[in-house]
């Protein structure tokens, strides 16, 4: 069997994307062709060509590829998105994998809260790796909740909209083995310096962490104890420069806390266990 060469339009498209600053232009070209229904076509024509051009123009203008496709890949999981929803980053795998490890050490089935869940990346990984996990996911952003429901409810997840712990069903009070969190942690003044893909196309509520980036961390510290079982643990993403401060917040609240780091993922998190 011979391998058909890439169609010429893919090379042309990749060149356009590269000129617009897309680092993975060849891969993006293939994904956009597929989204327009032209990946295996002999050549662009009709409605497919018009759709492709519309997508490419939006990508050249800086719109996130994942928002154009309507989905994002997270550790091999295809997560459905909604316009404006925070696009899951690979670095959140540090929190997701640590939450999985902690959940495995709990009595099965583990009960986990995916707090500030966004599209549900952490919860979806847990559902894949721990069939039967009892999962609750919460976010303030209505668009994030719409996406999380599509991604988590088919496997039994409970998804609720609201402000942090206020949205968690009261029946889970004192019942979580693990709380996994990717709360906004960008300092307000630094949002203006984010890449346009985030600054212009993701809802601010998913980015803004207050003056020092830790406003949500402080609120989570104040409320987490009531929702964890004795010996339960929380793991929360943060920036490297914030990690020691965040860990100290949990320590002062009576948790044993430590900083986690993964150089490959360029990720930092804090793990806090209830004493």
């Amino acid at each position: 069997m011979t391998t058909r060469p890439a169609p010429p339009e893919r090379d042309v498209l990749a060149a356009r994307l590269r000129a617009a600053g897309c680092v993975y232009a060849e891969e993006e070209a293939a994904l956009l062709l597929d989204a327009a229904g032209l990946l295996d076509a002999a050549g662009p024509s009709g409605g497919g060509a018009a759709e492709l051009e519309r997508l490419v123009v939006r990508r050249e203008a800086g719109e996130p590829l994942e928002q154009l496709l309507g989905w994002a890949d997270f550790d091999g999981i295809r997560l459905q998105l909604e316009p404006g929803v925070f696009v899951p980053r690979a670095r959140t795998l540090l929190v997701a994998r640590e939450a999985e490890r902690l959940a495995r050490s709990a009595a099965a089935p583990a009960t986990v809260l995916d707090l500030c869940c966004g599209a549900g990346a952490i919860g979806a990984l847990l559902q894949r790796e721990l069939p039967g996990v009892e999962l609750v996911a919460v976010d303030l952003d209505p668009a994030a909740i719409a996406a999380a429901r599509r991604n988590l409810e088919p496997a039994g997840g409970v998804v609720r909209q609201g402000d942090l712990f206020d949205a968690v069903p009261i029946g889970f009070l004192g019942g979580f083995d693990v709380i996994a969190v990717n709360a906004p942690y960008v300092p307000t003044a630094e949002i203006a310096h984010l890449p346009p893909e985030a600054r212009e196309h993701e809802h601010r509520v998913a980015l803004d962490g207050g003056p020092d980036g830790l406003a949500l961390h402080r609120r989570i510290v104040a409320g987490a104890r009531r929702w964890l079982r004795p010996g339960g643990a929380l793991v929360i993403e943060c920036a490297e420069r914030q990690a020691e401060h965040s860990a100290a917040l949990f320590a002062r609240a009576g948790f044993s806390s430590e900083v986690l780091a993964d150089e490959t993922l360029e990720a930092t998190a804090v793990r806090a266990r209830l004493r």
Side-chain angles (χ1 to χ4, degrees), residues 18-39:
R18 197 176 300 108
C22 300
V23 176
Y24 302 105
E26 289 77 11
E27 292 87 344
E28 291 197 14
L31 288 167
L32 290 172
L33 282 163
D34 189 38
L38 297 172
L39 185 60

Side-chain angles (χ1 to χ4, degrees), residues 14-160:
R16 285 180 63 179
L17 294 170
R18 197 176 300 108
C22 300
V23 176
Y24 302 105
E26 289 77 11
E27 292 87 344
E28 291 197 14
L31 288 167
L32 290 172
L33 282 163
D34 189 38
L38 297 172
L39 185 60
D40 297 318
S45 62
E51 173 65 7
L52 176 63
E53 181 63 19
R54 185 182 69 84
L55 292 173
V56 173
V57 168
R58 290 169 64 190
R59 183 65 181 123
E60 288 175 317
E63 194 163 342
L65 175 68
E66 294 86 354
Q67 292 289 359
L68 296 178
L69 300 176
W71 59 269
D73 178 86
F74 186 73
D75 199 42
I77 302 169
R78 182 175 287 202
L79 294 167
Q80 302 302 307
L81 299 180
E82 295 285 332
V85 171
F86 181 83
V87 176
R89 275 59 158 176
R91 61 177 172 265
T92 301
L93 279 169
L94 175 60
V95 170
R97 290 169 178 165
E98 179 62 16
E100 178 197 347
R101 188 192 69 80
L102 292 167
R104 285 188 185 279
S105 68
T111 304
V112 180
L113 172 61
D114 183 357
L115 193 61
C116 303
C117 66
I122 295 171
L125 184 143
L126 292 172
Q127 287 179 327
R128 183 188 69 186
E129 300 298 326
L130 301 170
V133 65
E134 191 169 5
L135 177 73
V136 178
V138 168
D139 202 286
L140 184 62
D141 183 2
I145 288 299
R149 285 182 172 141
R150 294 165 66 193
N151 293 318
L152 302 177
E153 287 186 342
V158 175
V159 181
R160 295 288 185 269

Side-chain angles (χ1 to χ4, degrees), residues 205-229:
V205 70
L207 304 171
D208 194 342
D212 65 352
L214 294 176
L216 273 293
H217 283 229
R218 294 185 182 89
R219 293 182 58 206
I220 290 164
V221 166
R225 176 179 290 275
R226 298 175 61 240
W227 294 94
L228 285 168
R229 286 179 177 158

